[in-house]
Amino acid sequence: MSTHAKPVPAADCRSEYDTLRHVLLCPPRFMEIRDVINDVQKQYKDENIDVTKALRQHDNFVEALAEEGVETTFLEASEEYPEQVFTRDIGFTIGDTVFISEMAADVRQGEEQVLQQWLEEQGIRFKHMPGHRIEGGDVLVDRDTVYIGISSRTSEKAIEEFQRQMPGFRVVPLQLNEKYLHLDCVFNILSPTEALIFPEALEQASIDMLSERYTLISVESDEQFKLGTNVLSIGDRRIVSQPQNTKVNQQLRDRGFRVIETDFSEIIKSGGAFRCCTMPIARG
């Protein structure tokens, strides 16, 4: 899979739902459950990942994005990094800057350098946060507000440091049950007024606070396990979701979203879906 010929635009992301213009992915060429690092992987450890199937599903997803006018660029997959398909976790774009995370799990350490090298080559502005564990799956941006999940991967200390570096933003920490990998597995902003949520994973005070800003669309536990919350909004009320999550998809359609269904059943065995596999560079 070759890098798209078009030049990569400057970083520019101010929400989870503006029109997705350019996104960074990585093909699951060496995908493998090597070390069990989340709850979903526990169930699939023995059967592991069918790489041929995962590659086919990833290609279909990339095609679906292209059909919707989204430009895609790819990091080079490395045998060293079996979780590299989840590009969202190694960095996150806020405003005109890509923040490079420090990865919590040993099996993922080193992915940050691959991303940094790519950003340097492209001349994209970035900030590295050494010594602070904060993963992109825990970070959701909505204009001047940044929600950050306190999880087994992202520490409160890192959130405090991020707030110091970003005084123009209101940083809202959300404590989630440690059983759940990242905030975007249990909460996902779809539009200025709507969000998906798996209420069991968050404290009631957080849910009450979020419900003041968003209409919260509840995801049931069976579909949360199939990463039903981890959809990707690409703007103009278009959402990429899995066909298996029929209840989520129906709720979205009932609210006037256009749901683009593509099968990701092999990739979700490692604990992430569409949002996890995409690091937006530019929206709007």
Side-chain angles (χ1 to χ4, degrees):
M1 201 180 279
S2 61
T3 301
H4 208 284
K6 285 196 180 181
V8 177
D12 184 15
C13 271
R14 290 159 205 284
S15 81
E16 301 294 325
Y17 48 76
D18 287 325
T19 301
L20 184 58
R21 292 191 290 117
H22 206 117
V23 68
L24 183 65
L25 305 100
C26 184
R29 194 162 291 124
F30 303 104
M31 193 177 180
E32 179 192 356
I33 301 173
R34 201 174 291 169
D35 298 339
V36 173
I37 57 171
N38 63 57
D39 221 50
V40 177
Q41 287 184 350
K42 283 177 192 166
Q43 180 153 325
Y44 295 109
K45 171 77 175 106
D46 292 339
E47 65 180 270
N48 223 298
I49 307 293
D50 180 334
V51 170
T52 305
K53 193 174 179 184
L55 281 166
R56 187 170 66 245
Q57 290 181 353
H58 197 264
D59 283 348
N60 291 341
F61 172 44
V62 170
E63 266 175 46
L65 290 175
E67 281 169 21
E68 298 296 328
V70 180
E71 294 287 341
T72 51
T73 302
F74 303 91
L75 289 177
E76 193 68 47
S78 163
E79 211 162 348
E80 273 180 86
Y81 307 123
E83 307 271 337
Q84 209 179 2
V85 67
F86 302 125
T87 54
R88 175 77 66 154
D89 299 334
I90 47 175
F92 49 94
T93 308
I94 297 181
D96 64 356
T97 304
V98 177
F99 289 83
I100 301 176
S101 316
E102 183 151 302
M103 307 304 286
D106 291 351
V107 74
R108 301 207 62 181
Q109 284 168 12
E111 290 183 43
E112 309 97 322
Q113 280 75 42
V114 179
L115 173 61
Q116 182 167 325
Q117 189 183 342
W118 180 83
L119 292 166
E120 284 169 353
E121 286 166 5
Q122 301 298 328
I124 293 172
R125 179 184 157 95
F126 68 87
K127 235 181 210 183
H128 198 221
M129 295 180 69
H132 294 285
R133 277 197 356 233
I134 186 163
E135 295 192 2
D138 281 321
V139 180
L140 282 83
V141 61
D142 191 355
R143 304 296 175 226
D144 60 349
T145 305
V146 182
Y147 299 98
I148 307 185
I150 303 166
S151 70
S152 58
R153 305 298 186 81
T154 295
S155 68
E156 278 185 82
K157 225 176 156 182
I159 297 171
E160 287 165 16
E161 176 57 30
F162 180 77
Q163 176 67 90
R164 271 195 293 276
Q165 292 197 22
M166 300 293 279
F169 288 82
R170 173 174 165 251
V171 175
V172 180
L174 295 172
Q175 181 73 57
L176 57 140
N177 183 318
E178 294 251 322
K179 176 184 171 186
Y180 301 98
L181 178 60
H182 285 129
L183 182 61
D184 66 6
C185 295
V186 297
F187 175 64
N188 200 345
I189 302 165
L190 308 176
S191 79
T193 57
E194 294 147 302
L196 284 174
I197 194 165
F198 179 58
E200 286 171 44
L202 294 161
E203 294 170 344
Q204 192 56 49
S206 297
I207 297 166
D208 294 344
M209 180 267 296
L210 293 169
S211 67
E212 288 175 19
R213 181 154 177 175
Y214 305 102
T215 299
L216 298 177
I217 304 161
S218 281
V219 178
E220 292 179 25
S221 57
D222 60 328
E223 294 200 344
Q224 190 282 327
F225 187 79
K226 293 181 287 181
L227 280 297
T229 321
N230 199 258
V231 299
L232 178 68
S233 171
I234 58 171
D236 301 318
R237 299 188 78 74
R238 295 169 296 162
I239 305 279
V240 183
S241 180
Q242 293 191 92
Q244 294 91 333
N245 293 323
T246 54
K247 289 173 280 190
V248 165
N249 295 348
Q250 192 54 55
Q251 288 190 87
L252 294 174
R253 289 188 177 108
D254 289 347
R255 301 194 66 86
F257 287 95
R258 179 155 73 81
V259 179
I260 300 152
E261 292 188 353
T262 183
D263 183 14
F264 233 40
S265 55
E266 200 62 28
I267 288 167
I268 72 155
K269 288 179 181 176
S270 213
F274 303 109
R275 188 180 188 275
C276 293
C277 289
T278 48
M279 198 191 84
I281 300 296
R283 284 186 180 270

